[in-house]
Amino acid sequence: MVGSGPAGFYAASALLTSDLPVEVDLLERLPTPWGLVRLGVAPDHPNIKAVSRAFEKTAAQPGFRFFGNVEVGRDVTHDELRRLYDAVVYSVGAQTDRQLGIPGEELPGSWAATEFVAWYNGHPDFQELEFDLSHERAVVIGNGNVALDVARMLALTPEELAPTDTTDAAIAAINEAGIREILVVGRRGPVQAAWTPVEVGELGELGGADIVVDPAQLELDAASTAELEAAPPTVKRNVEHLREYATRTPTGKPRQIVLRFLASPVAILGDGKVEAIELVRNELVDGRAVATDERETIPCGIVFRSVGYRGVGLPGVPFDERAGTIPNEGGRVAPGLYAAGWIKRGPSGVIGTNKKDATETVGLLLEDARAGKLPSRGDGTLESLLAERGTEAVMYGGWEAIDRAEKAAGEPHGRPRIKLCSWDALLAAARDR
Ligand code: FAD
Ligand code: NAP
């Protein structure tokens, strides 16, 4: 198994609870497990992060081993894994962001949500980034739950941030931010937004930010009205929240989250850094956003592009560049080679979605095993190969040492943990077992 996010752990669990005698080595490039549960899920949602307790139970099963700090493509190759194991399952997630493809996207101050999320969550590869939050207006592009995470995190008060495991650097930057308005821009309408009701509902309960929705933004065309009538209850609840927000008058909280629909960015403008964003008004045609010729320029100092994550290919592993996934059928790439989670189906779905997804993949793996279709493996072990290369794997006990150190640091401050967020600090804590 390669990648220790939800897909990797759900796949490991399905294998270890099958009726075949299976051993699972779970390889992870970081010294820490749980993927986006640790480094994506918003720090003010600790209950969601608690799903890791289920993964801990899997890790405690006989036959399971964790190899952190082992990256496929860096420390071990795909071909080597194929020789060492009867079967390889890739569950490496979606490691980068989708691009807008508009002028100015690369200007300083234009960030991918992936970067901001990884930074405030303490991902060791993203701690050098410096987000200038001194500007009055921040713009978030996209109408998914990640866009709402980013908007909400920017709006949290010191009291709301204090009991979380947001990094200290991010807490300080958000507390000191000059941001007064967070403008969230969706290319389609309120009925088509990808977010979910709990997350939309939270926007109305923030201590330090008013939610602002212009009633005119919620006027639906005939097709959207019909779509709403036939829509699942979640979409109806989203729209109910928005309609209630449209009746509110701002109460003078220090920040505002403003929701804007049917607008797409056409350019990010500025002389050497972001100074404004140019939006075009859209109309819906057969459910798609089609640009009109109405444009407007909105001053802003920082832009977060939250239009989805994207899978990255691994050397030697089949990859569909357009879809950003490993081509597969139900998770089977070929007998002995499988995919699960976001790298299998693309970057959508909540944590639980990966359970069904990984179980499907493992079902095919077991079917191939029973049919004698798995290729025979060669000699050698991963441990001896890593030892030859001088790669210092972080085994599960090493992660537990990191976990203990982080929790001990957080406890006196009433925080679940204070994350170690440099490679050196993580590896040093792992050694201190
Ligand atoms: P990931 O969780 O990304 O795990 C992939 C793992 O593979 C990572 O640990 C990575 O380091 C590792 N890896 C990558 N490349 C290699 C390599 N070459 N070698 C070894 N290891 C490698 N869902 C919810 O239900 N609730 C939420 O609140 C929620 N919040 C979210 C917030 C954000 C910002 C995002 C992006 C998603 C959120 N989700 C949430 C969705 C959920 O996180 C995903 O559905 C889930 O994490 C996908 O699981 P995965 O295992 O496919 O990928
Ligand atoms: P997402 O749900 O796919 O949303 C992406 C958003 O970007 C959509 O609104 C999409 O609009 C928009 N978009 C795409 N291309 C665009 C473009 N060129 N211009 C303008 N807008 C564009 O992705 P996500 O927000 O990254 O979330 C990923 C997954 O994680 C989702 O399944 C999400 O539910 C889950 N997640 C869950 C939680 C939670 O449960 N609390 C939190 C975070 C993430 P269109 O619809 O028009 O394409």
Side-chain angles (χ1 to χ4, degrees):
M1 213 78 61
V2 183
S4 70
F9 268 96
Y10 286 130
S13 168
L15 272 170
L16 290 165
T17 52
S18 75
D19 53 0
L20 291 183
V22 184
E23 292 180 345
V24 174
D25 284 353
L26 181 44
L27 280 57
E28 166 59 53
R29 67 177 291 274
L30 295 171
T32 56
W34 322 148
L36 286 167
V37 172
R38 176 177 163 97
L39 298 168
V41 171
D44 64 332
H45 287 169
N47 295 345
I48 291 172
K49 290 187 186 269
V51 69
S52 57
R53 293 205 199 109
F55 304 152
E56 284 168 1
K57 290 199 179 115
T58 298
Q61 299 240 0
F64 177 91
R65 296 190 303 176
F66 177 72
F67 287 83
N69 193 33
V70 176
E71 178 172 335
V72 174
R74 179 190 67 189
D75 303 302
V76 56
T77 67
H78 169 64
D79 287 344
E80 287 164 344
L81 286 186
R82 294 283 270 154
R83 277 199 300 278
L84 288 172
Y85 293 95
D86 297 314
V88 178
V89 181
Y90 282 102
S91 47
V92 290
Q95 296 298 307
T96 189
D97 59 296
R98 283 181 55 191
Q99 302 275 301
L100 286 168
I102 59 170
E105 192 163 7
E106 303 307 327
L107 274 176
S110 161
W111 296 97
T114 48
E115 296 169 307
F116 188 56
V117 164
W119 173 72
Y120 65 59
N121 266 313
H123 192 304
D125 288 345
F126 292 81
Q127 297 310 300
E128 303 299 313
L129 302 182
E130 285 183 21
F131 294 88
D132 178 359
L133 304 179
S134 64
H135 313 277
E136 284 214 351
R137 183 183 287 117
V139 174
V140 182
I141 302 297
N143 268 180
N145 280 326
V146 173
L148 293 192
D149 278 354
V150 168
R152 200 182 62 254
M153 285 299 294
L154 287 169
L156 293 185
T157 61
E159 297 71 34
E160 288 165 336
L161 280 169
T164 71
D165 64 4
T166 312
T167 64
D168 288 343
I171 291 180
I174 295 168
N175 287 347
E176 287 156 22
I179 295 174
R180 309 276 303 160
E181 179 186 306
I182 301 144
L183 175 66
V184 181
V185 181
R187 67 175 166 183
R188 297 193 291 158
V191 178
Q192 292 82 23
W195 50 43
T196 42
V198 173
E199 287 63 32
V200 181
E202 272 177 300
L203 297 179
E205 291 164 11
L206 296 170
D210 284 310
I211 175 80
V212 178
V213 182
D214 177 351
Q217 289 284 312
L218 301 183
E219 281 167 20
L220 303 180
D221 63 11
S224 290
T225 304
E227 189 179 333
L228 181 60
E229 268 165 30
T234 48
V235 174
K236 292 193 167 109
R237 285 210 297 281
N238 285 343
V239 175
E240 278 163 24
H241 279 304
L242 298 174
R243 286 183 173 152
E244 191 265 308
Y245 296 158
T247 66
R248 294 192 190 184
T249 311
T251 60
K253 291 179 181 172
R255 290 175 189 159
Q256 291 192 343
I257 296 180
V258 181
L259 303 183
R260 179 80 192 267
F261 297 98
L262 288 168
S264 285
V266 283
I268 299 173
L269 310 170
D271 187 6
K273 62 178 171 45
V274 172
E275 289 168 353
I277 188 160
E278 188 180 2
L279 300 179
V280 64
R281 194 176 70 77
N282 293 329
E283 282 173 354
L284 284 178
V285 179
D286 298 332
R288 284 182 315 110
V290 175
T292 65
D293 53 11
E294 274 176 55
R295 293 191 175 200
E296 102 186 80
T297 299
I298 298 178
C300 62
I302 191 160
V303 173
F304 297 97
R305 308 176 317 262
S306 183
V307 295
Y309 282 55
R310 198 162 61 82
V312 176
L314 291 166
V317 182
F319 190 64
D320 177 343
E321 279 293 341
R322 210 185 48 82
T325 54
I326 297 176
N328 67 87
E329 277 180 36
R332 184 195 279 124
V333 184
L337 181 58
Y338 308 87
W342 279 15
I343 197 65
K344 164 181 166 185
R345 65 173 198 281
S348 72
V350 293
I351 295 165
T353 319
N354 302 292
K355 185 168 188 178
K356 190 160 171 264
D357 173 298
T359 306
E360 178 192 46
T361 297
V362 168
L364 293 179
L365 191 165
L366 294 170
E367 189 180 298
D368 290 344
R370 289 192 186 98
K373 286 190 185 158
L374 297 183
S376 50
R377 67 177 138 127
D379 294 334
T381 63
L382 180 65
E383 301 91 293
S384 55
L385 195 123
L386 295 176
E388 261 169 43
R389 292 191 180 148
T391 301
E392 179 191 359
V394 173
M395 305 303 286
Y396 198 73
W399 152 245
E400 287 178 317
I402 295 173
D403 194 35
R404 274 195 303 275
E406 291 185 341
K407 284 178 173 157
E411 211 254 297
H413 305 281
R415 298 170 66 184
R417 63 180 66 238
I418 295 178
K419 283 180 183 165
L420 298 170
C421 36
S422 75
W423 282 89
D424 284 349
L426 286 161
L427 294 174
R431 276 180 218 120
D432 194 18
R433 297 174 52 175

